[in-house]
């Protein structure tokens, strides 16, 4: 019987928002196991490394050059019978590395019911019928926009950023302020519903702005950011909601407009939480949650879909009406959007690992399709042994050197190497590299699907 450990050859997409040439982690990882015709071009942007069975860019077994999709459909046991039947013989998740140089679109991903409708209506722009909740884990320092800000902050910007109020109009701004005044932080479901309706009305007005009005307002916005960065978007009458770093906000507005001149995204910015993630920090995005990525290298795991509803910071197809109608309009501080990892209980560290503060931590969003374990092995011969789970895994090494063992099969592991591990297989990884310090840590991320205890979860509910 074949040992269920496959080294994968994974493709990388080139989108204009990707990092250039060797600066792109996605490109460097792809190059470690590249097809014969792939070479990193020094001036070409490389955006996404895809690991999985999605037909848009399927991974291949290095040894046989068969696609992973073919292999798991030929041998149902690689996924497990339950997962194979539940997900149509495909991997339930899509695992990616993203390298972001410039902002990528203001976007959301549809829930399952909406995805089915969009795919039936417009299969060119919505290529499948699946939902796409996703999780982001930073590899390098990351910047992004995630979810709507607390309402008090939005009210603040409506009053402190004149071009924003100019764009939405005083009537819409006043109506929003009256609707939420005094109840911005209410936890009463009826009040929260009223607040969300008011936010939807205001945001829809913003998103329906004409190109001419956006251009005029953008000119004023950038002028304000450049002329008074230290007081940008501040107000003496509402100091509690002033931005913590006005100059940083001003610089970001200028940078975003430089990337996408006269784009509505420069104003959406004032509605969304600005998030910074340090390596290892994560956030989870439910379907129908608005977000955008600005810069950094990240691990991303999602339900296996390529559906994106876009409305700003993009030259691609924009579907403003669908976006404004589909969003949850949940609003909360950014700390509530982050996903805190916990110790992973189904891995055993050996003595060199334990004594060197090596770790296995679990990022476990409330979704059935995927979870991710990050392992840092900090000393030579440090080893983590993972119990077999009732589902498949994909593992990528993002730094260091080591080896991976399943059964009697052992493979060398280097930065960028990717492996598929079949269901129920016990897996061990061990650091072989020399040296101390953070730059020598053997780091892997392992995405997996285990339905145990998650059978009834849908999009985090």
């Amino acid at each position: 019987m074949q040992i269920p450990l496959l080294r994968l050859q994974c493709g990388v997409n080139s989108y204009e928002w990707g990092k250039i040439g060797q600066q792109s982690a996605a490109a460097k990882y792809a190059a470690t196991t590249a097809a014969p015709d792939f070479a990193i071009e020094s001036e070409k942007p490389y955006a996404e490394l895809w690991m999985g069975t999605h037909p848009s860019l399927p991974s291949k077994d290095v040894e046989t050059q068969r696609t992973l999709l073919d292999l798991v459909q030929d041998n149902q046991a690689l996924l497990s019978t339950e997962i194979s039947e539940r997900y149509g013989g495909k991997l339930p998740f899509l695992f990616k590395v993203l390298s972001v140089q410039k902002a990528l679109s203001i976007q959301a991903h549809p829930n399952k019911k909406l995805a089915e409708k969009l795919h039936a209506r417009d299969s060119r722009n919505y290529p499948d019928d699946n939902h796409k909740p996703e999780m982001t884990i930073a590899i390098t320092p990351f910047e992004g926009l995630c979810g709507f800000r607390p309402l008090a902050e939005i009210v603040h910007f409506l009053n402190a950023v004149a071009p924003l109020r100019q764009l939405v109009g005083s009537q819409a701004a006043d109506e929003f302020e009256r609707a939420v005044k005094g109840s911005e932080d209410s936890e009463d479901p009826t009040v929260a519903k009223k607040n969300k309706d008011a936010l939807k009305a205001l945001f829809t007005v913003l998103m329906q702005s004409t190109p001419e009005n956006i251009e005029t307002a953008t000119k004023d916005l950038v002028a304000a950011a450049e002329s008074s960065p230290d007081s940008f978007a501040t107000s003496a009458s509402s100091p509690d909601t002033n931005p913590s770093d006005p100059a940083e906000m001003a610089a970001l507005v200028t940078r975003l407009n430089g990337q996408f001149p006269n784009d509505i995204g420069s104003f959406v910015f004032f509605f969304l939480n600005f998030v910074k993630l340090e390596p290892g920090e994560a956030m989870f995005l439910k379907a129908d949650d608005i977000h955008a990525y600005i810069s950094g290298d990240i691990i991303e795991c999602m339900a296996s879909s390529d559906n994106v509803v876009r409305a700003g910071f993009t030259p691609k197809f924009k579907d403003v009406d669908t976006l404004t109608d589909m969003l949850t309009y949940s609003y909360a501080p950014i700390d509530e959007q982050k996903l805190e990892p916990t110790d992973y209980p189904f891995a055993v560290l050996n003595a060199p690992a334990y004594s060197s503060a090596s770790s296995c931590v679990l990022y476990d969003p409330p979704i059935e399709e995927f979870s991710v374990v990050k392992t840092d092995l900090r000393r030579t011969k440090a080893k983590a042994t993972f119990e077999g789970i009732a589902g498949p895994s994909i593992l990528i090494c993002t730094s260091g050197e080591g080896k991976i063992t399943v059964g009697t099969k052992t493979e060398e592991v280097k930065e960028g190497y990717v492996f598929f591990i079949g269901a129920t297989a016990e897996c061990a990884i061990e650091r072989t590299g020399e040296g101390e310090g953070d730059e020598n840590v053997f780091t892997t991320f392992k995405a997996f699907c285990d339905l145990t205890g998650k059978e009834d979860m849908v999009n985090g509910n």
Side-chain angles (χ1 to χ4, degrees):
M1 180 179 175
Q2 182 187 25
I3 294 173
L5 175 66
L6 305 171
R7 186 173 164 202
L8 299 180
Q9 181 183 89
C10 303
V12 62
N13 285 322
S14 175
Y15 302 136
E16 68 169 351
W17 52 262
K19 289 190 175 182
I20 306 300
Q22 293 285 347
Q23 298 174 25
S24 169
K28 289 192 293 183
Y29 297 162
T32 63
T33 320
D37 59 349
F38 178 80
I40 298 176
E41 298 176 30
S42 61
E43 297 184 2
K44 185 175 181 177
Y46 295 95
E48 298 183 345
L49 178 79
W50 284 32
M51 301 168 278
T53 58
H54 196 284
S56 295
L57 193 60
S59 301
K60 295 180 180 179
D61 173 27
V62 168
E63 188 174 334
T64 65
Q65 286 297 292
R66 294 184 66 194
T67 68
L68 181 59
L69 180 60
D70 284 345
L71 292 168
V72 299
Q73 289 185 336
D74 278 358
N75 183 359
Q76 200 175 66
L78 290 172
L79 297 182
S80 83
T81 300
E82 181 183 14
I83 287 175
S84 184
E85 291 177 351
R86 190 174 182 93
Y87 296 102
K90 301 172 185 175
L91 202 64
F93 58 83
L94 179 58
F95 205 24
K96 294 183 182 181
V97 174
L98 271 61
S99 292
V100 184
Q101 179 70 31
K102 59 187 288 190
L104 65 148
S105 51
I106 303 288
Q107 61 180 257
H109 305 298
N111 61 46
K112 188 72 170 79
K113 186 177 293 186
L114 179 59
E116 291 169 353
K117 289 181 181 178
L118 293 174
H119 178 64
R121 186 182 78 198
D122 183 0
S123 60
R124 185 169 71 88
N125 288 303
Y126 301 104
D128 57 69
D129 63 358
N130 201 15
H131 67 166
K132 194 183 176 185
E134 62 188 20
M135 177 170 63
T136 295
I137 308 170
I139 303 175
T140 62
F142 166 84
E143 298 174 312
L145 303 174
C146 177
F148 286 100
R149 296 176 181 271
L151 299 182
E153 292 184 19
I154 297 174
V155 170
H156 170 90
F157 289 128
L158 286 170
N159 289 287
V161 182
L164 174 62
R165 193 177 192 90
Q166 168 193 332
L167 190 57
V168 299
S170 292
Q171 180 179 342
D174 289 344
E175 288 176 356
F176 175 73
E177 290 180 47
R178 284 196 298 268
V180 305
K181 187 174 182 179
S183 64
E184 295 93 337
D185 300 320
S186 175
E187 296 182 5
D188 183 296
T190 303
V191 176
K193 172 66 165 59
K194 175 179 68 72
N195 287 346
K196 289 179 181 180
D197 289 344
L199 179 56
K200 179 178 181 178
L202 179 66
F203 189 69
T204 300
V205 169
L206 175 72
M207 296 306 294
Q208 292 175 344
S209 301
T210 66
E212 295 78 15
N213 287 345
I214 295 170
E215 183 174 355
T216 300
T218 299
K219 189 178 298 183
D220 294 340
L221 180 70
V222 173
E226 291 178 342
S227 64
S228 305
D230 292 335
S231 60
F232 180 71
T234 63
S235 171
S237 62
S238 54
D240 291 346
T241 46
N242 279 337
S244 58
D245 190 341
E248 179 185 52
M249 178 171 275
L252 191 53
V253 164
T254 303
R255 188 195 341 159
L256 292 173
N257 186 64
Q259 295 174 1
F260 292 95
N262 303 317
D263 192 280
I264 192 63
S266 293
F267 294 93
V268 172
F269 172 75
F270 295 102
F271 280 71
L272 305 186
N273 287 302
F274 175 54
V275 58
K276 290 171 139 181
L277 299 180
E278 292 301 316
E281 290 190 308
M283 60 184 183
F284 173 63
L285 302 161
K286 294 181 181 180
D288 303 331
D289 274 356
I290 190 168
H291 60 283
Y293 298 156
I294 296 174
S295 69
D297 297 291
I298 58 173
I299 290 284
E300 193 177 53
C301 197
M302 64 201 67
S304 188
S305 170
D306 198 24
N307 284 324
V308 184
V309 183
R310 302 177 181 89
F313 289 153
T314 181
K316 296 182 179 180
F317 171 71
K318 298 177 185 178
D319 193 347
V320 172
D321 290 343
T322 296
L323 184 86
T324 55
D325 189 56
M326 69 184 277
L327 297 175
T328 62
Y329 292 96
S330 296
Y331 49 90
I334 190 56
D335 287 346
E336 295 184 23
Q337 307 274 354
K338 291 184 179 180
L339 180 69
E340 293 295 329
T342 58
D343 287 337
Y344 182 60
F346 303 111
V348 176
L349 300 178
N350 68 357
Y354 186 78
S355 63
S356 60
S358 297
S359 60
C360 286
V361 295
L362 172 68
Y363 302 85
D364 193 25
I367 191 78
E368 69 172 46
E369 284 93 339
F370 59 83
S371 303
V372 174
V373 174
K374 176 177 183 273
T375 304
D376 290 318
L377 298 178
R378 298 181 175 276
R379 182 175 295 166
T380 303
K381 295 188 177 180
K383 181 178 180 180
T385 302
F386 297 88
E387 295 179 15
I389 57 173
S393 304
I394 288 182
L395 178 144
I396 181 171
C397 171
T398 57
S399 68
E401 295 181 355
K403 59 185 179 181
I404 183 170
T405 300
V406 173
T408 58
K409 186 175 182 179
T410 297
E411 293 261 3
E412 177 187 36
V413 183
K414 293 183 178 180
E415 181 179 286
Y417 282 23
V418 181
F419 295 88
F420 173 84
I421 301 136
T424 73
E426 182 181 279
C427 164
I429 55 174
E430 181 177 340
R431 179 181 160 182
T432 58
E434 301 291 334
E436 302 292 331
D438 290 345
E439 69 276 7
N440 294 303
V441 175
F442 178 44
T443 298
T444 63
F445 291 85
K446 185 165 84 82
F448 65 93
C449 177
D450 184 353
L451 295 179
T452 307
K454 286 192 168 188
E455 293 88 345
D456 298 323
M457 287 186 178
V458 179
N459 189 32
N461 298 311

